[in-house]
Amino acid sequence: MYEKAFDDQKQRAMREYFLDELSPRGKLKKYKSKQTINNDQFKGSFGIVVSGKISKSVISPQGNEKLLYTMRPGEIFGEMDLLCEGDFNFLFRTKENAVVSYIARDLLLSEIANNTAVYSCLINSITRKFRIVLLQLTSNTFNDSTGRIADALIRLVACSDTLDVGHDPRMISTTFTQSELAHNVGCSRITVTRVLKQFENEKLISRKNRKIIIEDIDGLARYTSRAQ
């Protein structure tokens, strides 16, 4: 369903380049689990996740949180502000102990001038994030709460790195709490709990080691109204 939007081979090549080729040349910083990363820490640079996972959210003036996506090793953040010289106040938070390599602007520009692969990887990263946010927007527009949760599960499994879960294409490789899913789809945690239980009773999903397995993706899709 979403496999064409998130080509696993291209995503893996992107992560391998940033992780293996570029991150050793940056400045490493360690973070503890559930630690907030201050935006000022990477001014004039962008971050490559070396280990752990980091979530990116936007916060309203009233303190409401919208989870946009979670970045795993080899994925990057801050590249759009760095390249466009803009400044948008996102919230970055570690889901577990993490290490980030910060790449300065001058190093990035030098790499772009000498290696065309980095340009392709940057565009791949930005496009992937745009598609994730666009799909969230269309789901919130077209679906009720049950449909938004179903659509989110389909999208998350399509975005998953199958290497993380022993090549099982049915499993969402990142562990999400019910609060995180609620922040992602714009529903209450109680609604997420109820709908996930409904999906389990209908044998559309199951759980293993706190991760969600999609047992019947077509069954989930019947709850959704998605842009083609």
Side-chain angles (χ1 to χ4, degrees):
M1 294 179 180
Y2 287 142
E3 290 81 0
K4 292 181 180 179
F6 304 105
D7 184 283
D8 189 56
Q9 185 175 357
K10 289 183 179 179
Q11 307 306 319
R12 193 173 300 159
M14 173 194 72
R15 296 185 194 105
E16 288 175 353
Y17 169 76
F18 285 127
L19 191 60
D20 299 337
E21 300 295 330
L22 204 53
S23 71
R25 301 167 62 186
K27 182 178 180 180
L28 295 180
K29 185 170 179 60
K30 297 180 179 180
Y31 297 95
K32 295 181 180 180
S33 177
K34 297 181 171 56
Q35 183 175 347
T36 297
I37 299 176
N38 191 314
N39 291 17
D40 292 335
Q41 292 178 2
F42 54 89
K43 291 290 186 183
S45 63
F46 75 95
I48 302 172
V49 182
V50 176
S51 64
K53 293 182 180 178
I54 296 173
S55 66
K56 180 177 180 178
S57 302
V58 62
I59 306 293
S60 75
Q62 294 75 29
N64 297 317
E65 181 175 345
K66 174 67 172 73
L67 174 63
L68 298 176
Y69 39 77
T70 299
M71 294 163 289
R72 64 178 73 101
E75 296 181 353
I76 65 177
F77 60 93
E79 75 281 14
M80 287 182 270
D81 285 351
L82 181 66
L83 294 172
C84 299
E85 299 184 353
D87 187 9
F88 200 94
N89 192 29
F90 293 106
L91 172 66
F92 297 92
R93 183 188 296 120
T94 60
K95 286 177 64 65
E96 54 196 57
N97 292 342
V99 176
V100 175
S101 173
Y102 288 104
I103 306 297
R105 182 196 303 274
D106 290 344
L107 174 57
L108 175 62
L109 294 178
S110 174
E111 187 71 5
I112 290 175
N114 295 293
N115 186 354
T116 57
V118 66
Y119 182 78
S120 175
C121 290
L122 285 168
I123 294 299
N124 193 349
S125 173
I126 293 170
T127 301
R128 180 179 184 273
K129 293 173 182 176
F130 170 78
R131 287 176 174 170
I132 290 173
V133 174
L134 177 62
L135 290 170
Q136 291 180 14
L137 173 63
T138 55
S139 179
N140 288 347
T141 301
F142 298 142
N143 291 310
D144 60 12
S145 57
T146 301
R148 293 204 298 272
I149 295 168
D151 191 76
L153 296 177
I154 295 170
R155 184 179 67 252
L156 289 170
V157 78
C159 292
S160 291
D161 184 355
T162 53
L163 291 180
D164 287 352
V165 291
H167 299 278
D168 187 344
R170 304 172 304 147
M171 184 179 284
I172 296 173
S173 57
T174 298
T175 302
F176 290 93
T177 66
Q178 293 180 359
S179 293
E180 287 173 324
L181 285 174
H183 290 154
N184 183 253
V185 301
C187 298
S188 69
R189 186 182 61 79
I190 293 174
T191 298
V192 170
T193 300
R194 174 181 57 80
V195 172
L196 290 180
K197 185 62 176 177
Q198 174 188 335
F199 289 164
E200 284 189 90
N201 291 338
E202 295 176 8
K203 301 190 184 305
L204 302 180
I205 66 171
S206 61
R207 305 193 205 201
K208 181 179 181 181
N209 298 327
R210 298 178 58 219
K211 293 183 178 179
I212 296 175
I213 300 173
I214 308 301
E215 300 289 356
D216 184 355
I217 198 166
D218 292 331
L220 285 176
R222 285 193 286 271
Y223 282 101
T224 70
S225 175
R226 296 178 292 112
Q228 299 299 318

